[in-house]
């Protein structure tokens, strides 16, 4: 190579390095995500003032919004992203990674090159284009639409966006009123799926030749295009849609990541608009296997005195054990529960939202802004600054749980299908998990999620937040396991539970467990015969899910019979808080969350609350204990513990919403 | 003297009742000061008509659309009182007007059992779907569903804890929802304000409108779905109140009343007053809804049990510091059991399972050494 040539290359390299590094401080995006402690949502504007506010709030990562791809084609996306370049650059400089947002599902004619939605959109079983709202929904199985989404993401990356939020790529058919797609691409894909999967139902239906098999015609012959759930192939179609959607989503995300890596030498951080996974469909749970973090968009369905989000967080955290789990409020206008409150109480409600997430080992995205709703920056800063000032309370901690509540993905796949697709009264494992989780939480039972995959989207059988993915359940690590009507379980799932029980693990089976496999095929014979008579196994076959009080009594009786006793007790006639124990190196962190919330007013202060904690064996606590709360600032208050045997008694300082107690091991 | 005045007052109130009745072919017309009610003799439905500023009556349901009906969704579709002939209809005087009882067979072994308490200012409806537990049932319509003429009733108004929500119906979009626990947005929330539990539809220009009021909201209507739906194909339904299969066999009550004022704040104030008035009427026995008085009686008893047990437990808790290690262990065991029983009692009460709630609270008291709870509160 000539001198001139090598100098030219050096120059180019030098400028490339200067150009990329001078653009900001966020250099290793993956590491940045790993280190992030404070998240936010900020969508609507992106000015330097916004960056300053985000910095004041201590934000490391914005889950979505610097540029918004709602009704955008690739050109629009590029222009919108370039328009916020100054804010983006400033955010990077201040160590804030601010994701863009692409809707990637909603389409209108104006944004399409052909101005014709019928070339892209979902179709019903009659073959007609579905218009679910004021927009249409593209089908990911249609390569034209998949490529369109890829191009929008690439356009954002061209404008130096290193984080993308894919807003509901899975399309409309998995929403609360599912409208599955039956477009030509789905029909062709389904024939191929059947060819590959060869479900036994094909023999029963006498379908031997799948060449030219057209599912729309199959439905038409039976005159059930308006009720496709009555089809004998309905479950198989549901599975095809689920797995093909996830496959396409993965393809789109990988394309964007490759493009970003090649273009900027950066790892694109991708997230989706998932949802409370104990309430919605398998596709959002499946997305956890694709994106860089689990991002739950939630609509504030209940308030602190009504219910808790913790059971759902614990399921998500078990599933996404190696990824951050974040929740943001996917609400464009200030919801009445907030607008009815005075400013200080709004801050309290935000602290509760944060407390629920962090107590579960997850994160809450501070609501800086979404469309018509801007959060109170000063109040949100109290939370962000508190977390930033006390990272030791949050990093490297795991649940101090003795009970594990099983959450089955195989069952989750079919939960929504019967619930919304015309089959009422069918079992709902996800709902049952949530009901029981909330009841256990109310009683102070320390439980964590135990996630069971189905062997396909989640190839490892089982996962927990502390152990990651593994294949053997040992009674030592899992003292008590409760299976809340997980009606669909894989063969390996069942074997693991049987092995666990045979090794002495204490197992409570509730209702129908494993009567179907992961493909919703009925299992013959009594699967729990081998273990059901063991003293360490209790199978409550008739489970009163519609009467949670009776259910709780039965479950607690069973736990007691198996030798369980509470780890933490509130010494008052009626518990007014939720108590969650976490453990770190040489310390126990107790999160206490006040439940005494009054709509339109706020929280009632907790005063002189006394609790007792049974210390884990071998843990000698120091008598000086530190209490922290964002209610009063960033510094701790010290209190003295009283010991009676292996129990530790604490009288807590007053607090409004969220108190954290750090119990350190005596040196 | 006092007795004489009382009798006189009774006579005056009896003769000053403004409710007029007229029997026509298919229905009976009840005309009051502010509204008209047509109760059908052949099918389980009714027309509720409200006056506009010119004194013209308009039905609250769309004239050519679906009229109010009770029932549920079964495995083979909607099971509706309006598509079934009436089994039995009885009419008698009530202290505020008339009481009409109607029984409509819906399916084999299932009946809609309704009572219409017709008074000058409002209509009170007691509603019950009598049935054994059935599978495959959903959307149990305790209060009716009907189509709404949104060109006529073009504004909605309802309460939320601490505030009211109002707007133009057409701005909801399609599909669009306004109310409590709708199937989507943009105005779907979790609960009405229990002290002002209402949903109104009205037209301020024509000065015509109506509202549904839900007395004893916390006990009867919490968690139920009450919303306006702008559906596909230009259909607009008002779901006045539905629940799930657990609501089969549960009695409930709601009120329909015409609107005479059209300022949201004034409507709210009036509703608050009316709600109190109706709840008081039930408590005093003036509106003879036995299922509510029984419920209030159990609630009173339960609250007493909870109060007594809390007091007893608090006394024990103050003596805790003097206890030995062994005693502390026993006490914490008892405390945990107590807390679980209290939680179960409260949850059962919230679910409307009052007998179970009582059973749990009696167990709580037993745990504290009180074997005869009934005697204790006497």
């Amino acid at each position: 190579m000539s001198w001139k040539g090598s100098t030219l290359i050096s120059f180019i390299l030098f400028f490339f390095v200067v150009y990329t590094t001078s653009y900001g401080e966020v250099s290793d995006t993956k590491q940045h995500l790993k280190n992030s402690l404070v998240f936010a949502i900020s969508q609507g504007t992106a000015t330097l003032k916004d960056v300053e506010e985000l910095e004041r709030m201590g934000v490391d990562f914005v889950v979505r919004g610097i540029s918004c791809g709602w009704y955008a084609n690739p050109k629009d996306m590029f222009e919108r992203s370039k328009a916020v370049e100054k804010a983006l650059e400033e955010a990077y400089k201040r160590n804030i990674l601010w994701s863009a947002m692409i809707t990637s599902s909603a389409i209108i004619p104006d944004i399409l090159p052909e101005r014709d939605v019928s070339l892209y959109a979902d179709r019903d079983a009659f073959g007609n284009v579905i218009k679910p709202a004021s927009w249409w929904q593209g089908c990911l199985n249609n390569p034209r639409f998949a490529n369109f989404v890829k191009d929008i993401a690439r356009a954002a990356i061209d404008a130096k966006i290193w984080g993308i939020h894919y807003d509901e790529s899975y399309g409309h058919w998995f929403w609360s009123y599912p409208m599955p797609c039956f477009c030509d691409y789905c029909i062709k894909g389904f024939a191929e799926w059947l060819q590959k999967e060869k479900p036994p139902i094909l023999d029963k239906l006498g379908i031997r030749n799948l060449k030219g098999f057209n599912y729309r015609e199959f439905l038409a012959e039976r005159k059930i295009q308006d009720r496709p759930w009555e089809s004998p192939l309905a479950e198989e179609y549901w599975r095809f849609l689920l797995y093909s959607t996830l496959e396409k989503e993965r393809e789109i995300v990988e394309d964007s990541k490759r493009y970003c890596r090649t273009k900027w030498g950066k790892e694109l951080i991708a997230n989706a608009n998932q949802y409370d996974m104990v309430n919605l469909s398998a596709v959002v749970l499946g997305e956890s296997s694709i994106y860089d973090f689990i991002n739950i968009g939630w609509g504030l369905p209940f308030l602190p005195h009504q219910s808790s989000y913790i059971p759902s967080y614990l399921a998500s955290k078990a599933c996404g054990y190696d990824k951050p789990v974040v929740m943001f409020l996917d609400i464009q206008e200030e919801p009445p529960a907030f607008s009815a409150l005075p400013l200080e109480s709004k801050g309290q409600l935000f602290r509760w939202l944060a407390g629920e997430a962090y107590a579960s080992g997850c994160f809450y995205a501070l609501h800086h802004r979404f469309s018509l709703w801007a959060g109170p920056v000063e109040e949100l800063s109290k939370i962000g600054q508190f977390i930033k000032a006390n990272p030791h309370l949050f990093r490297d901690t795991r649940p101090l749980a003795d009970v594990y509540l099983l959450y089955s993905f195989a069952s989750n796949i079919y939960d929504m299908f019967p619930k919304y697709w015309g089959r009422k009264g069918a079992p709902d494992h996800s709902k049952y998990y949530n009901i029981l989780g909330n009841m256990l939480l109310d009683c102070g039972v320390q439980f964590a999620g135990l996630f069971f995959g189905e062997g396909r989207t989640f190839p490892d059988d089982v996962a927990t937040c502390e152990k990651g993915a593994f294949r053997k359940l040992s009674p030592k690590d899992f003292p008590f396991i409760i299976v809340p009507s997980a009606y669909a379980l894989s063969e390996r799932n069942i074997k693991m539970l049987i092995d666990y029980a045979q090794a002495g693990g204490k197992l409570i089976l509730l209702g129908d467990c494993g009567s179907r496999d992961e493909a919703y095929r009925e299992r013959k014979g009594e699967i729990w015969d081998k273990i059901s008579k063991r003293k360490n196994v209790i199978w409550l076959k008739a489970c009163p899910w519609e009467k949670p009080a009776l259910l709780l009594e039965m479950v607690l009786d069973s736990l007691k019979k198996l030798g369980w006793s509470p780890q933490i007790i509130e010494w008052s006639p009626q518990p007014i808080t939720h108590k969650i124990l976490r453990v770190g190196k040489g310390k126990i962190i107790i999160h206490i969350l006040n439940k005494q919330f009054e709509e339109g007013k706020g929280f009632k202060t907790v005063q002189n609350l006394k609790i007792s904690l049974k210390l884990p064996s071998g843990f000698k606590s120091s008598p000086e204990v530190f209490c922290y709360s964002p209610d009063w600032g960033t510094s701790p208050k010290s209190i003295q513990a009283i010991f009676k045997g292996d129990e530790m008694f604490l009288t807590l300082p007053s607090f409004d919403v969220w108190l954290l107690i750090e119990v350190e091991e005596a040196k | 003297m006092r007795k004489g005045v009382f009798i006189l007052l009774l006579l005056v109130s009896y003769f000053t009742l403004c409710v007029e009745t007229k029997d026509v072919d298919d229905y009976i017309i009840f005309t009051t000061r502010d509204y008209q009610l047509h109760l059908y003799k052949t099918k389980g439905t009714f027309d509720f008509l409200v006056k506009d500023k010119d004194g013209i009556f308009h039905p609250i349901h769309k004239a050519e659309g679906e009229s109010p009906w009770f029932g549920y969704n079964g495995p083979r579709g909607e099971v509706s009182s309006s598509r079934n002939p009436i089994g039995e209809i009885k009419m008698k005087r009530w202290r505020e007007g008339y009481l009409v009882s109607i029984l409509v067979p819906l399916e084999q072994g299932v009946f809609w059992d309704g009572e219409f308490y017709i008074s000058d200012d409002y209509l009170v409806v007691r509603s019950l779907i009598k049935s054994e537990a059935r599978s495959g049932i959903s959307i149990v319509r305790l209060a009716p569903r009907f189509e709404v003429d949104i060109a006529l009733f073009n504004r909605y108004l309802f309460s939320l804890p601490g505030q009211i929500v109002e707007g133009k119906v057409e701005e909801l979009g399609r599909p669009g929802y306004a109310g409590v626990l709708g199937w989507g947005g943009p105005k779907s929330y979790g609960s009405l304000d229990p002290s002002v539990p209402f949903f109104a539809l009205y037209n301020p220009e024509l000065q015509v409108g109506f509202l549904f009021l839900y007395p004893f909201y916390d006990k009867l209507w919490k968690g139920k779905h009450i919303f306006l739906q702008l559906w596909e194909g230009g259909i607009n339904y008002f779901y006045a109140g539905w629940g799930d299969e657990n609501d089969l066999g549960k009695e409930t009550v709601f009120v329909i009343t015409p609107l005479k004022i059209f300022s949201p704040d004034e409507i709210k104030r009036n509703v608050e007053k009316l709600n109190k008035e109706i709840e008081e009427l039930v408590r005093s026995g003036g509106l003879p809804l036995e299922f509510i008085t029984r419920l209030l009686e159990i609630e009173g008893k339960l609250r007493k049990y909870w109060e007594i047990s809390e007091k007893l437990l608090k006394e024990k808790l103050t003596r805790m510091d003097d206890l030995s290690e062994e005693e502390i262990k026993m006490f914490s065991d008892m405390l945990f059991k107590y807390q679980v029983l209290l939680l179960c009692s409260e949850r059962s009460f919230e679910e409307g399972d009052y007998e179970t709630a009582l059973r749990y609270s009696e167990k709580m008291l037993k745990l504290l050494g009180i074997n005869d709870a009934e005697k204790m509160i006497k």
Side-chain angles (χ1 to χ4, degrees), chain A residues 336 548 553 570-572 574 599, chain B residues 161 163 320 339 346 360 363:
Chain A
E553 193 187 14
E570 197 173 307
W571 287 70
S572 55
Q574 183 169 32
E599 288 175 54
Chain B
Q163 61 180 300
M320 203 196 78
Q339 289 174 346
E346 287 177 339
Y360 280 121
K363 273 190 183 178

Side-chain angles (χ1 to χ4, degrees), chain A residues 310 561 586:
Chain A
I310 289 171
K561 269 184 207 154

Side-chain angles (χ1 to χ4, degrees), chain B residues 221-233:
Chain B
W221 292 100
K222 203 166 117 185
K224 304 287 181 278
H225 305 253
I226 298 164
F227 57 83
L228 175 70
Q229 177 195 41
L230 267 54
W231 193 229
E232 284 156 3

Side-chain angles (χ1 to χ4, degrees), chain A residues 346-368:
Chain A
K346 285 182 189 182
Q348 288 181 339
L349 196 49
F350 279 120
R351 296 207 285 281
W352 176 75
L353 286 163
E356 286 239 308
Y358 284 85
S360 315
C362 303
F363 301 97
Y364 167 65
L366 302 175
H367 194 95
H368 179 241

